[in-house]
Every structure is written in structure tokens, then in C-alpha cells.
Amino acid sequence: GFELKSTDVFLCGHGQNGMGEIVVLRLAEPTPHVALNIALKGSQVLCCQMVPGINNTLWVGTQDARLLVYQMSDPSSTLMEHQLEGGPVICINHIEDSVFVGTSEGYIHVFTRDG
């Protein structure tokens, strides 16, 4: 599986084909390089947020109002997917055990970790 390093930088957007893409750029090596590339089927990626914990997860917001969550130990498959109300997902932030997801129409969706 993929192992995160403290110098990894997450970049989100869309690839040449217009589809969503997450790139993990590893800066600590002798030469910076792409450590991981996750291509998403569907919409462009507007935001992403790493949520640390026992199982590090990457939360991804898309133009078509989807919230995707990947477990970083196995980023090849989606751990969770939600179609959200309120338009495109434009921001994601976490505070302690809660993740806040904002949409373009002003909705804020709050997710909390179980125990």
C-alpha cells in the first residue's frame, strides 16, 4: 500500500482529459517526484483534504457535488462516496474528530468519526 510521508503535498484538479485527478508530490527525495496519481471517473476535483488518524483518509470534493473518501493505505478504491445537496463541493476542513464539507450554495455538511 501507499505510505504517506510528512513532505507529501496533495494537488487536486483535472487531468488533460478533463476528468478529476489527485496527485501526491513527494518533495523530500533527492528529486521531487509524483509519488501517487489517482484518476477519478467523472467530474473535476475542486478540493481535497487529508484527514489524519489511525487510518489516514483523503477527502475529495467534486464539481458534480460528490464527496469521495479514500483510505491512503489503499487509494485505488473509494472507501466512501456521497452525493451531497447544495451544488459543487468547494471546501473541506477537519477539526478534531469532525470533517466539515462546504458547497457552492452555502450548505455545510458535517461528518464525525465513530468512537
Side-chain angles (χ1 to χ4, degrees), residues 16-103:
Q16 293 178 349
N17 61 1
M19 303 304 252
E21 183 175 41
I22 302 289
V23 174
V24 179
L25 185 61
R26 185 152 290 162
L27 301 177
E29 305 296 325
T31 302
H33 67 281
V34 173
L36 180 67
N37 189 326
I38 303 171
L40 305 175
K41 295 177 181 146
S43 187
Q44 296 180 12
V45 175
L46 299 181
C47 58
C48 65
Q49 175 72 47
M50 172 56 96
V51 178
I54 294 171
N55 295 312
N56 293 323
T57 53
L58 179 65
W59 294 57
V60 178
T62 68
Q63 177 72 35
D64 61 358
R66 286 184 302 145
L67 174 67
L68 308 168
V69 179
Y70 294 89
Q71 188 168 330
M72 291 310 300
S73 61
D74 180 20
S76 62
S77 62
T78 309
L79 183 64
M80 180 175 73
E81 180 173 347
H82 288 286
Q83 184 70 43
L84 299 179
E85 192 174 339
V89 177
I90 58 171
C91 62
I92 302 170
N93 204 346
H94 72 92
I95 299 172
E96 297 178 3
D97 288 336
S98 297
V99 178
F100 301 87
V101 179
T103 68

